[in-house]
Amino acid sequence: MLKDLILKNRSYRRFYQEVAIENDTLRELVDLARLSASGANRQPLKYILSCDREKNELIFPHLTWAAYLKDWPGPSEGERPSAYIIILGDTGISKQFFCDHGIAAQSILLGATERGWGGCIMASIEKDGLRRALKIPPRYEILLVIALGKPREKVVIESVGADGDIKYWRDSDAGHHVPKRSLDEIIVG
Ligand SMILES: Cc1cc2nc3c(=O)[nH]c(=O)nc-3n(C[C@H](O)[C@H](O)[C@H](O)COP(=O)(O)O)c2cc1C
């Protein structure tokens, strides 16, 4: 069921770093994005794949993890992603990317979840540094980074409480809690 897959497809930020993801798997995931919807069917998205330690280490320092968790600087060595897919916008094809990258990211993550992997969409990116580190040509706009790996944390969905707070939080066992608004709150007409 699609709902089960969507429920399982949480944002994971801690992984079994030693569990490798093959480049072919990343290619299969990008193929799902390739087949997804695109504004005016321009298909301006391009991708950088990373599943080796050296390249992963070039990417990691340019990402900001879980901004609401003030005391957590991000995954420590041993629990970092074993792969990344970077979504780029090719400005030689289009100057506007509409929501293509969001749709692509969701296709990639649903495919990853179906295969037993997990990940996190990252938009808080230190883009100049990442561009320099990977020598990304200026024609490509850096849109999103998707971190991927074997999830090492428990993520629980719960209802937003009476105080309306939507911030995710961690319990004393490092369980990650994500408040979601109710269906009645979000359907306004
Ligand atoms: C467009 C977008 C950008 C995001 N950027 C980041 C990010 O830079 N760093 C991060 O740790 N999480 C990021 N996230 C993950 C969200 O924090 C996460 O989706 C949210 O907390 C809800 O959790 P869930 O995905 O498990 O439902 C991003 C998610 C989206 C959709």
Side-chain angles (χ1 to χ4, degrees):
M1 289 295 287
L2 182 58
K3 187 166 182 185
D4 293 333
L5 194 59
I6 287 175
L7 282 170
K8 208 170 154 200
N9 176 32
R10 304 274 48 88
S11 290
Y12 295 102
R13 301 180 180 85
R14 298 170 58 220
F15 304 95
Y16 292 97
Q17 189 173 337
E18 70 284 5
V19 182
I21 302 184
E22 300 293 322
N23 193 61
D24 278 353
T25 303
L26 299 183
R27 288 179 61 89
E28 281 173 30
L29 298 178
V30 171
D31 201 37
L32 299 176
R34 180 181 74 84
L35 297 167
S36 300
S38 169
N41 202 26
R42 285 203 185 124
Q43 305 166 68
L45 303 183
K46 301 286 168 74
Y47 300 85
I48 293 174
L49 312 182
S50 175
C51 57
D52 69 72
R53 193 176 174 87
E54 212 172 271
K55 203 166 175 184
N56 286 351
E57 282 178 2
L58 291 175
I59 297 168
F60 180 81
H62 305 290
L63 306 175
T64 303
W65 296 84
Y68 289 145
L69 304 179
K70 300 289 178 211
D71 299 334
W72 188 64
S76 51
E77 183 58 40
E79 56 180 27
R80 292 184 179 162
S82 34
Y84 297 92
I85 295 174
I86 302 175
I87 307 183
L88 306 171
D90 187 340
T91 60
I93 295 178
S94 183
K95 305 286 181 233
Q96 277 195 71
F97 306 107
F98 303 105
C99 52
D100 282 24
H101 41 302
I103 292 170
Q106 183 74 345
S107 294
I108 287 168
L109 279 170
L110 288 175
T113 303
E114 189 188 39
R115 288 163 176 74
W117 305 104
C120 187
I121 297 172
M122 319 274 309
S124 186
I125 307 163
E126 200 269 292
K127 293 185 180 176
D128 291 343
L130 182 62
R131 184 180 294 283
R132 275 194 300 275
L134 296 184
K135 301 186 175 58
I136 299 173
R139 89 178 253 149
Y140 299 121
E141 192 175 318
I142 299 171
L143 298 173
L144 290 172
V145 174
I146 304 177
L148 292 163
K150 197 82 182 164
R152 195 181 187 153
E153 64 181 343
K154 193 169 164 247
V155 179
V156 184
I157 288 185
E158 55 198 23
S159 301
V160 169
D163 60 2
D165 192 355
I166 46 68
K167 292 189 197 72
Y168 45 76
W169 56 283
R170 293 249 169 104
D171 62 36
S172 51
D173 293 326
H176 184 88
H177 296 252
V178 183
K180 295 285 184 190
R181 298 190 198 279
S182 72
L183 199 51
D184 285 337
E185 181 183 348
I186 64 172
I187 297 176
V188 295

